[in-house]
Amino acid sequence: MAEIEIEKKKPIWPWVVVGLLILAVILYFVLADGDDDDDFTEEEDTEQVTTPMETEDYEDTETASWEDDNLSGDESVSKYLTHIGDRERMGIDHEYSSEALIYLINALENRSEEANINTEVEIQELKDDVRDIKEDPQALTHANTINEVGAKIVDLMEKMQEEKFPDLSQDVQEVRTALQNIDPSTPTLDQKDAVNSFYKEAGDVIEKMKMS
């Protein structure tokens, strides 16, 4: 009797292993792509949160600039007085003083134009000095910078007073006295009262330098 050959079935486990490997590769790329999407979403969320905040801070913060020389004398004087009225800012940074000088110079320029006084040379020199200060805020760490610029400001006030405001001689002298009370070798933050006194006296003068 002839023997019947029975064909042995090939094992299927190699195919199972191959299938699992393919599935693992697919899952790897799917999950990796998902992580990238999450990272991208987080970056988008961060931009959406921080950008408006930064823009809002920029828009809400007014910075002194030379564009104010297009204002009237009263308007520029008002901006200066408003700025120096916020004395608490001096305890935060030296930008307070540099901007105070800009507002003060703007006001002097506008007052001199209204009074028809030629101060072009003096104003330009002062603007150049303050631009240097803006580029190096640490220049105001010690009060010698305020003294140097302040002396030029008082000289300009005196010139304007002698030409068109004879009754303000004593007022200008009080500004000079206030400036002399600032110690050039002492940090400005250690003598805030003296520095603010100079700004206040200067404000009183430019407020009175009004053509009738």
Side-chain angles (χ1 to χ4, degrees):
M1 182 176 178
E3 293 183 0
I4 299 175
E5 293 184 2
I6 299 175
E7 184 179 354
K8 295 182 178 180
K9 292 183 178 180
K10 296 181 179 180
I12 64 171
W13 63 265
W15 296 106
V16 173
V17 172
V18 172
L20 290 175
L21 289 174
I22 293 174
L23 181 61
V25 171
I26 293 173
L27 288 175
Y28 172 81
F29 284 107
V30 170
L31 293 175
D33 185 62
D35 290 340
D36 291 341
D37 290 340
D38 290 341
D39 292 340
F40 179 75
T41 303
E42 289 178 3
E43 290 177 1
E44 285 186 331
D45 292 342
T46 301
E47 290 178 359
Q48 291 175 354
V49 171
T50 58
T51 301
M53 185 181 299
E54 292 171 357
T55 303
E56 181 180 351
D57 289 343
Y58 177 79
E59 291 176 349
D60 290 345
T61 303
E62 183 178 7
T63 303
S65 70
W66 300 122
E67 294 176 0
D68 290 343
D69 58 10
N70 295 320
L71 300 176
S72 69
D74 286 343
E75 289 172 331
S76 56
V77 168
S78 177
K79 293 193 79 168
Y80 171 72
L81 295 177
T82 299
H83 180 78
I84 65 172
D86 186 11
R87 299 185 180 183
E88 293 301 319
R89 282 194 57 197
M90 179 175 258
I92 301 174
D93 54 42
H94 296 290
E95 189 175 354
Y96 166 89
S97 284
S98 64
E99 292 192 349
L101 294 172
I102 291 175
Y103 284 128
L104 178 54
I105 294 167
N106 280 332
L108 284 168
E109 182 176 21
N110 293 333
R111 285 301 200 206
S112 64
E113 290 175 352
E114 291 176 345
N116 197 26
I117 304 172
N118 185 1
T119 61
E120 184 176 351
V121 174
E122 291 88 347
I123 291 293
Q124 188 57 55
E125 184 177 351
L126 285 168
K127 287 183 176 182
D128 291 340
D129 289 342
V130 176
R131 283 193 184 97
D132 292 339
I133 293 172
K134 290 288 284 184
E135 291 176 1
D136 180 18
Q138 293 304 313
L140 286 171
T141 300
H142 289 281
N144 61 310
T145 304
I146 294 179
N147 277 70
E148 293 171 2
V149 177
K152 295 179 182 179
I153 288 174
V154 178
D155 289 342
L156 176 56
M157 284 183 170
E158 192 170 60
K159 173 182 176 178
M160 295 170 62
Q161 175 267 312
E162 291 175 350
E163 288 194 29
K164 293 293 179 70
F165 306 99
D167 296 337
L168 298 181
S169 176
Q170 182 59 37
D171 297 88
V172 173
Q173 183 56 46
E174 289 175 1
V175 181
R176 192 178 295 280
T177 300
L179 179 64
Q180 292 171 347
N181 289 334
I182 300 175
D183 183 358
S185 62
T186 301
T188 54
L189 297 183
D190 291 344
Q191 48 179 341
K192 290 190 293 185
D193 290 342
V195 174
N196 281 317
S197 177
F198 165 68
Y199 290 144
K200 179 182 180 302
E201 295 295 339
D204 290 343
V205 170
I206 58 175
E207 197 172 14
K208 294 176 181 177
M209 283 183 170
K210 185 173 182 177
M211 299 300 294
S212 56

